[in-house]
Amino acid sequence: MINEIDKVLYTAKTHTRGGRDGTGKSSDGALDVKLSSPGSNRPGTNPEQLFAVGWSACFMGAMGLAAKARNVALPAGVGIDAEVDLGLTGDLFSLRARLNVHVPGLNRALVEALVREAHQTCPYSRATRGNLDVSFNIV
């Protein structure tokens, strides 16, 4: 099922050259990265790292909204260590992800509830649902 957008809030515009061993730039100049293949030891980041940062940042925002709906403030020091695996499924490339969520000062049951709720609302989580093996760890 494709989710239709009723109102566009933001459009990210980028230009990439050279694929995994090229460059990527945003139209506003805020992002200007050299790209390299994972494990190549060449300077630059790779798409999996960019995906991990984007998803974890978005997910943290969704957790904040879930906490606000419960009249709970997320404490300082909230962090997510995202791990995105690039692998093979047969002869096709696939991704797998783990989000390791650290929320100091809140009880585990509450953090688990916030993670479940965030996974339902985060656009990255919704986009990958049913397509990626995803796990969450409360650390």
Side-chain angles (χ1 to χ4, degrees):
M1 179 177 139
I2 295 177
N3 293 313
E4 297 285 329
I5 293 179
D6 295 327
K7 179 181 177 184
V8 174
L9 301 175
Y10 173 76
T11 300
K13 296 179 183 180
T14 64
H15 182 75
T16 303
R17 290 182 172 214
R20 287 183 172 273
D21 295 309
T23 60
K25 296 180 181 184
S26 62
S27 61
D28 64 2
L31 179 68
D32 186 353
V33 296
K34 185 176 285 216
L35 301 168
S36 62
S37 295
S40 69
N41 294 324
R42 289 194 290 268
T45 189
N46 60 64
E48 291 73 27
Q49 290 170 325
L50 293 169
F51 181 66
V53 165
W55 191 353
S56 58
C58 185
F59 196 85
M60 196 176 300
M63 284 181 60
L65 290 174
K68 185 177 180 181
R70 292 170 170 262
N71 293 315
V72 173
L74 284 182
V78 172
I80 298 175
D81 294 318
E83 301 173 10
V84 174
D85 299 325
L86 172 65
L88 290 171
T89 302
D91 59 352
L92 298 174
F93 289 101
S94 296
L95 298 175
R96 176 176 59 196
R98 289 168 304 287
L99 284 103
N100 303 300
V101 181
H102 176 70
V103 183
L106 293 184
N107 74 58
R108 185 177 186 86
L110 176 57
V111 174
E112 288 171 351
L114 296 176
V115 166
R116 276 193 309 276
E117 292 167 22
H119 189 49
Q120 295 305 307
T121 61
C122 172
Y124 280 76
S125 290
R126 292 177 49 230
T128 60
R129 187 172 285 105
N131 297 307
L132 259 71
D133 177 15
V134 180
S135 62
F136 297 93
N137 304 302
I138 311 303
V139 292

